[in-house]
Amino acid sequence: MPFNQSEPDPSEVQKWFLANPPVPDVTFELALVLGGTVSAGAYTAGALDFLIEALDCWEAARTSGDPLVPRHRVVLRVINGASGGGVNAAIAARALNFDFPHIAQGMSVEQDRSGNPFYDTWIRDLTLARFLETSDVESELISILNGRAIDEGARRIIEFAGPPKQRPWVAAPLRLIVTLTNLAGVPYRLDLAGGSETFVNHADHMRFAVSYPGQPAAEFRPDELILDFGQGVPGAIGWDRFSEFAKGTAAFPAGFPPRELTRPVEQYRWRILPKTGLDR
């Protein structure tokens, strides 16, 4: 299929990359930037679990008219994650549609599954013992650590469900960004006054827009994939496909198995670079 090499429409570039709509009055907007590595991922999972619990309690008290609760709103607009942080972003994207028990220090937790997707992923699924298993060594060694625990954890994430719960503090849509190491790399050419320069970029990322039931209709960026929960949002992809990107953000070279990902090549027309302090 031929690739559209025409420049993006300036109005669309302005709308999706340069315009920054004003924040509504009495509102604080949040963006979460989640770091990687296994230990930091486990710590971040607990922090996210508490944040969701706290915002649920605050929203319930605020809407009930409790005079002791601040009147301003909080809106979570973006979650960005790398590696273990990307796994947590994927868990949050799925879990925010459901009610689930929260875990605190000293609580008694079921031996098998707690019902909390953050806890179960990091305590039950992504364990050192499972990473060191040799069941994945067959005809060839593809990674130092066993990636099958990540496969199972990703499957459990996208299958997670519970009683539906609407969260007014989640933006419509919630935007999700996970970082990826693109082993093949994406070739670019810069046309300059004195000629052109080419380079291959291995630092990549993927954007998603999550639409939750009961939220108002939203516009979607041209460089993001859409997720929903069966409401029939046009163009929405399946959660199975999303799980491949969740596994991809955790696939650091040599450590865990590489993942083969596909995406619309058209999205690479939308890599807009800000230019500051340059006259030409």
PDB file of all heavy atoms in Angstrom, residues 20-47:
ATOM      1  N   ASN A  20      -3.558  24.357  23.118  1.00  0.00           N
ATOM      2  CA  ASN A  20      -3.686  23.861  24.491  1.00  0.00           C
ATOM      3  C   ASN A  20      -4.920  24.509  25.111  1.00  0.00           C
ATOM      4  O   ASN A  20      -4.842  25.617  25.640  1.00  0.00           O
ATOM      5  CB  ASN A  20      -2.441  24.194  25.306  1.00  0.00           C
ATOM      6  CG  ASN A  20      -2.448  23.506  26.654  1.00  0.00           C
ATOM      7  OD1 ASN A  20      -3.172  22.539  26.873  1.00  0.00           O
ATOM      8  ND2 ASN A  20      -1.636  23.992  27.569  1.00  0.00           N
ATOM      9  N   PRO A  21      -6.071  23.845  25.016  1.00  0.00           N
ATOM     10  CA  PRO A  21      -7.306  24.455  25.514  1.00  0.00           C
ATOM     11  C   PRO A  21      -7.177  24.841  26.983  1.00  0.00           C
ATOM     12  O   PRO A  21      -6.520  24.146  27.773  1.00  0.00           O
ATOM     13  CB  PRO A  21      -8.346  23.337  25.326  1.00  0.00           C
ATOM     14  CG  PRO A  21      -7.765  22.444  24.278  1.00  0.00           C
ATOM     15  CD  PRO A  21      -6.289  22.496  24.468  1.00  0.00           C
ATOM     16  N   PRO A  22      -7.790  25.944  27.386  1.00  0.00           N
ATOM     17  CA  PRO A  22      -7.698  26.374  28.787  1.00  0.00           C
ATOM     18  C   PRO A  22      -8.363  25.367  29.715  1.00  0.00           C
ATOM     19  O   PRO A  22      -9.347  24.711  29.356  1.00  0.00           O
ATOM     20  CB  PRO A  22      -8.439  27.714  28.786  1.00  0.00           C
ATOM     21  CG  PRO A  22      -9.356  27.657  27.589  1.00  0.00           C
ATOM     22  CD  PRO A  22      -8.620  26.848  26.566  1.00  0.00           C
ATOM     23  N   VAL A  23      -7.821  25.245  30.910  1.00  0.00           N
ATOM     24  CA  VAL A  23      -8.388  24.353  31.919  1.00  0.00           C
ATOM     25  C   VAL A  23      -9.632  25.005  32.498  1.00  0.00           C
ATOM     26  O   VAL A  23      -9.632  26.197  32.812  1.00  0.00           O
ATOM     27  CB  VAL A  23      -7.361  24.080  33.036  1.00  0.00           C
ATOM     28  CG1 VAL A  23      -7.962  23.179  34.118  1.00  0.00           C
ATOM     29  CG2 VAL A  23      -6.098  23.460  32.459  1.00  0.00           C
ATOM     30  N   PRO A  24     -10.729  24.271  32.641  1.00  0.00           N
ATOM     31  CA  PRO A  24     -11.946  24.854  33.223  1.00  0.00           C
ATOM     32  C   PRO A  24     -11.692  25.422  34.618  1.00  0.00           C
ATOM     33  O   PRO A  24     -10.774  24.986  35.325  1.00  0.00           O
ATOM     34  CB  PRO A  24     -12.921  23.667  33.269  1.00  0.00           C
ATOM     35  CG  PRO A  24     -12.410  22.713  32.234  1.00  0.00           C
ATOM     36  CD  PRO A  24     -10.928  22.868  32.222  1.00  0.00           C
ATOM     37  N   ASP A  25     -12.502  26.362  34.989  1.00  0.00           N
ATOM     38  CA  ASP A  25     -12.372  26.958  36.315  1.00  0.00           C
ATOM     39  C   ASP A  25     -12.546  25.906  37.405  1.00  0.00           C
ATOM     40  O   ASP A  25     -13.272  24.923  37.242  1.00  0.00           O
ATOM     41  CB  ASP A  25     -13.414  28.061  36.500  1.00  0.00           C
ATOM     42  CG  ASP A  25     -13.143  29.285  35.623  1.00  0.00           C
ATOM     43  OD1 ASP A  25     -11.981  29.444  35.198  1.00  0.00           O
ATOM     44  OD2 ASP A  25     -14.091  30.047  35.355  1.00  0.00           O
ATOM     45  N   VAL A  26     -11.876  26.127  38.500  1.00  0.00           N
ATOM     46  CA  VAL A  26     -11.962  25.274  39.700  1.00  0.00           C
ATOM     47  C   VAL A  26     -11.651  23.810  39.343  1.00  0.00           C
ATOM     48  O   VAL A  26     -12.287  22.878  39.829  1.00  0.00           O
ATOM     49  CB  VAL A  26     -13.364  25.374  40.361  1.00  0.00           C
ATOM     50  CG1 VAL A  26     -13.290  24.902  41.810  1.00  0.00           C
ATOM     51  CG2 VAL A  26     -13.899  26.783  40.323  1.00  0.00           C
ATOM     52  N   THR A  27     -10.654  23.633  38.483  1.00  0.00           N
ATOM     53  CA  THR A  27     -10.282  22.285  38.036  1.00  0.00           C
ATOM     54  C   THR A  27      -8.764  22.154  38.004  1.00  0.00           C
ATOM     55  O   THR A  27      -8.065  23.070  37.552  1.00  0.00           O
ATOM     56  CB  THR A  27     -10.844  21.998  36.629  1.00  0.00           C
ATOM     57  OG1 THR A  27     -12.270  22.102  36.666  1.00  0.00           O
ATOM     58  CG2 THR A  27     -10.464  20.605  36.161  1.00  0.00           C
ATOM     59  N   PHE A  28      -8.275  21.038  38.478  1.00  0.00           N
ATOM     60  CA  PHE A  28      -6.861  20.681  38.361  1.00  0.00           C
ATOM     61  C   PHE A  28      -6.754  19.472  37.449  1.00  0.00           C
ATOM     62  O   PHE A  28      -7.430  18.457  37.672  1.00  0.00           O
ATOM     63  CB  PHE A  28      -6.259  20.355  39.731  1.00  0.00           C
ATOM     64  CG  PHE A  28      -6.062  21.542  40.621  1.00  0.00           C
ATOM     65  CD1 PHE A  28      -7.056  21.936  41.490  1.00  0.00           C
ATOM     66  CD2 PHE A  28      -4.880  22.263  40.586  1.00  0.00           C
ATOM     67  CE1 PHE A  28      -6.894  23.025  42.310  1.00  0.00           C
ATOM     68  CE2 PHE A  28      -4.705  23.372  41.401  1.00  0.00           C
ATOM     69  CZ  PHE A  28      -5.705  23.755  42.268  1.00  0.00           C
ATOM     70  N   GLU A  29      -5.920  19.574  36.410  1.00  0.00           N
ATOM     71  CA  GLU A  29      -5.709  18.457  35.500  1.00  0.00           C
ATOM     72  C   GLU A  29      -4.405  17.744  35.851  1.00  0.00           C
ATOM     73  O   GLU A  29      -3.399  18.390  36.171  1.00  0.00           O
ATOM     74  CB  GLU A  29      -5.674  18.942  34.052  1.00  0.00           C
ATOM     75  CG  GLU A  29      -7.027  19.476  33.581  1.00  0.00           C
ATOM     76  CD  GLU A  29      -7.037  19.804  32.104  1.00  0.00           C
ATOM     77  OE1 GLU A  29      -5.940  20.006  31.534  1.00  0.00           O
ATOM     78  OE2 GLU A  29      -8.128  19.847  31.513  1.00  0.00           O
ATOM     79  N   LEU A  30      -4.436  16.413  35.783  1.00  0.00           N
ATOM     80  CA  LEU A  30      -3.286  15.596  36.143  1.00  0.00           C
ATOM     81  C   LEU A  30      -2.784  14.815  34.935  1.00  0.00           C
ATOM     82  O   LEU A  30      -3.567  14.354  34.108  1.00  0.00           O
ATOM     83  CB  LEU A  30      -3.643  14.594  37.241  1.00  0.00           C
ATOM     84  CG  LEU A  30      -4.046  15.131  38.616  1.00  0.00           C
ATOM     85  CD1 LEU A  30      -4.351  13.958  39.541  1.00  0.00           C
ATOM     86  CD2 LEU A  30      -2.983  16.022  39.195  1.00  0.00           C
ATOM     87  N   ALA A  31      -1.463  14.648  34.875  1.00  0.00           N
ATOM     88  CA  ALA A  31      -0.829  13.708  33.951  1.00  0.00           C
ATOM     89  C   ALA A  31       0.141  12.875  34.776  1.00  0.00           C
ATOM     90  O   ALA A  31       0.937  13.428  35.544  1.00  0.00           O
ATOM     91  CB  ALA A  31      -0.097  14.434  32.832  1.00  0.00           C
ATOM     92  N   LEU A  32       0.070  11.564  34.651  1.00  0.00           N
ATOM     93  CA  LEU A  32       0.944  10.671  35.398  1.00  0.00           C
ATOM     94  C   LEU A  32       2.073  10.197  34.490  1.00  0.00           C
ATOM     95  O   LEU A  32       1.824   9.710  33.386  1.00  0.00           O
ATOM     96  CB  LEU A  32       0.159   9.471  35.917  1.00  0.00           C
ATOM     97  CG  LEU A  32      -1.048   9.777  36.815  1.00  0.00           C
ATOM     98  CD1 LEU A  32      -1.724   8.468  37.248  1.00  0.00           C
ATOM     99  CD2 LEU A  32      -0.638  10.598  38.026  1.00  0.00           C
ATOM    100  N   VAL A  33       3.311  10.343  34.950  1.00  0.00           N
ATOM    101  CA  VAL A  33       4.488   9.876  34.221  1.00  0.00           C
ATOM    102  C   VAL A  33       5.115   8.771  35.062  1.00  0.00           C
ATOM    103  O   VAL A  33       5.646   9.034  36.142  1.00  0.00           O
ATOM    104  CB  VAL A  33       5.494  11.012  33.972  1.00  0.00           C
ATOM    105  CG1 VAL A  33       6.694  10.495  33.193  1.00  0.00           C
ATOM    106  CG2 VAL A  33       4.819  12.164  33.227  1.00  0.00           C
ATOM    107  N   LEU A  34       5.030   7.528  34.585  1.00  0.00           N
ATOM    108  CA  LEU A  34       5.380   6.350  35.382  1.00  0.00           C
ATOM    109  C   LEU A  34       6.698   5.759  34.897  1.00  0.00           C
ATOM    110  O   LEU A  34       6.834   5.397  33.725  1.00  0.00           O
ATOM    111  CB  LEU A  34       4.265   5.308  35.279  1.00  0.00           C
ATOM    112  CG  LEU A  34       2.835   5.833  35.534  1.00  0.00           C
ATOM    113  CD1 LEU A  34       1.834   4.696  35.409  1.00  0.00           C
ATOM    114  CD2 LEU A  34       2.733   6.500  36.902  1.00  0.00           C
ATOM    115  N   GLY A  35       7.643   5.646  35.799  1.00  0.00           N
ATOM    116  CA  GLY A  35       8.962   5.133  35.462  1.00  0.00           C
ATOM    117  C   GLY A  35       8.988   3.624  35.337  1.00  0.00           C
ATOM    118  O   GLY A  35       8.032   2.915  35.677  1.00  0.00           O
ATOM    119  N   GLY A  36      10.123   3.111  34.861  1.00  0.00           N
ATOM    120  CA  GLY A  36      10.256   1.696  34.595  1.00  0.00           C
ATOM    121  C   GLY A  36      11.025   0.938  35.657  1.00  0.00           C
ATOM    122  O   GLY A  36      11.218   1.421  36.768  1.00  0.00           O
ATOM    123  N   THR A  37      11.502  -0.245  35.297  1.00  0.00           N
ATOM    124  CA  THR A  37      12.172  -1.262  36.102  1.00  0.00           C
ATOM    125  C   THR A  37      11.168  -1.998  36.975  1.00  0.00           C
ATOM    126  O   THR A  37      10.120  -1.476  37.332  1.00  0.00           O
ATOM    127  CB  THR A  37      13.315  -0.726  36.987  1.00  0.00           C
ATOM    128  OG1 THR A  37      12.766  -0.009  38.090  1.00  0.00           O
ATOM    129  CG2 THR A  37      14.247   0.164  36.206  1.00  0.00           C
ATOM    130  N   VAL A  38      11.504  -3.243  37.324  1.00  0.00           N
ATOM    131  CA  VAL A  38      10.562  -4.106  38.035  1.00  0.00           C
ATOM    132  C   VAL A  38      10.254  -3.578  39.425  1.00  0.00           C
ATOM    133  O   VAL A  38       9.104  -3.461  39.829  1.00  0.00           O
ATOM    134  CB  VAL A  38      11.106  -5.548  38.103  1.00  0.00           C
ATOM    135  CG1 VAL A  38      10.185  -6.430  38.940  1.00  0.00           C
ATOM    136  CG2 VAL A  38      11.259  -6.117  36.702  1.00  0.00           C
ATOM    137  N   SER A  39      11.283  -3.237  40.210  1.00  0.00           N
ATOM    138  CA  SER A  39      11.046  -2.783  41.578  1.00  0.00           C
ATOM    139  C   SER A  39      10.273  -1.474  41.598  1.00  0.00           C
ATOM    140  O   SER A  39       9.340  -1.304  42.401  1.00  0.00           O
ATOM    141  CB  SER A  39      12.373  -2.633  42.325  1.00  0.00           C
ATOM    142  OG  SER A  39      13.233  -1.725  41.658  1.00  0.00           O
ATOM    143  N   ALA A  40      10.627  -0.541  40.712  1.00  0.00           N
ATOM    144  CA  ALA A  40       9.888   0.722  40.644  1.00  0.00           C
ATOM    145  C   ALA A  40       8.464   0.481  40.163  1.00  0.00           C
ATOM    146  O   ALA A  40       7.532   1.160  40.592  1.00  0.00           O
ATOM    147  CB  ALA A  40      10.603   1.718  39.724  1.00  0.00           C
ATOM    148  N   GLY A  41       8.279  -0.499  39.271  1.00  0.00           N
ATOM    149  CA  GLY A  41       6.940  -0.819  38.803  1.00  0.00           C
ATOM    150  C   GLY A  41       6.052  -1.315  39.924  1.00  0.00           C
ATOM    151  O   GLY A  41       4.886  -0.928  40.024  1.00  0.00           O
ATOM    152  N   ALA A  42       6.597  -2.156  40.799  1.00  0.00           N
ATOM    153  CA  ALA A  42       5.821  -2.664  41.922  1.00  0.00           C
ATOM    154  C   ALA A  42       5.468  -1.534  42.888  1.00  0.00           C
ATOM    155  O   ALA A  42       4.341  -1.462  43.395  1.00  0.00           O
ATOM    156  CB  ALA A  42       6.604  -3.757  42.645  1.00  0.00           C
ATOM    157  N   TYR A  43       6.422  -0.639  43.142  1.00  0.00           N
ATOM    158  CA  TYR A  43       6.151   0.501  44.025  1.00  0.00           C
ATOM    159  C   TYR A  43       5.077   1.398  43.410  1.00  0.00           C
ATOM    160  O   TYR A  43       4.131   1.824  44.085  1.00  0.00           O
ATOM    161  CB  TYR A  43       7.439   1.298  44.248  1.00  0.00           C
ATOM    162  CG  TYR A  43       7.223   2.585  45.002  1.00  0.00           C
ATOM    163  CD1 TYR A  43       7.201   2.599  46.387  1.00  0.00           C
ATOM    164  CD2 TYR A  43       7.029   3.786  44.321  1.00  0.00           C
ATOM    165  CE1 TYR A  43       7.000   3.788  47.093  1.00  0.00           C
ATOM    166  CE2 TYR A  43       6.816   4.968  45.006  1.00  0.00           C
ATOM    167  CZ  TYR A  43       6.807   4.957  46.388  1.00  0.00           C
ATOM    168  OH  TYR A  43       6.595   6.132  47.061  1.00  0.00           O
ATOM    169  N   THR A  44       5.217   1.684  42.116  1.00  0.00           N
ATOM    170  CA  THR A  44       4.260   2.555  41.438  1.00  0.00           C
ATOM    171  C   THR A  44       2.871   1.946  41.428  1.00  0.00           C
ATOM    172  O   THR A  44       1.860   2.658  41.521  1.00  0.00           O
ATOM    173  CB  THR A  44       4.734   2.844  40.005  1.00  0.00           C
ATOM    174  OG1 THR A  44       6.040   3.414  40.052  1.00  0.00           O
ATOM    175  CG2 THR A  44       3.795   3.804  39.296  1.00  0.00           C
ATOM    176  N   ALA A  45       2.791   0.622  41.314  1.00  0.00           N
ATOM    177  CA  ALA A  45       1.490  -0.044  41.331  1.00  0.00           C
ATOM    178  C   ALA A  45       0.747   0.248  42.628  1.00  0.00           C
ATOM    179  O   ALA A  45      -0.462   0.530  42.627  1.00  0.00           O
ATOM    180  CB  ALA A  45       1.672  -1.546  41.159  1.00  0.00           C
ATOM    181  N   GLY A  46       1.453   0.196  43.749  1.00  0.00           N
ATOM    182  CA  GLY A  46       0.824   0.510  45.026  1.00  0.00           C
ATOM    183  C   GLY A  46       0.396   1.958  45.111  1.00  0.00           C
ATOM    184  O   GLY A  46      -0.684   2.262  45.641  1.00  0.00           O
ATOM    185  N   ALA A  47       1.238   2.861  44.571  1.00  0.00           N
ATOM    186  CA  ALA A  47       0.880   4.285  44.588  1.00  0.00           C
ATOM    187  C   ALA A  47      -0.357   4.547  43.730  1.00  0.00           C
ATOM    188  O   ALA A  47      -1.243   5.328  44.109  1.00  0.00           O
ATOM    189  CB  ALA A  47       2.061   5.118  44.097  1.00  0.00           C
TER     190      ALA A  47
END
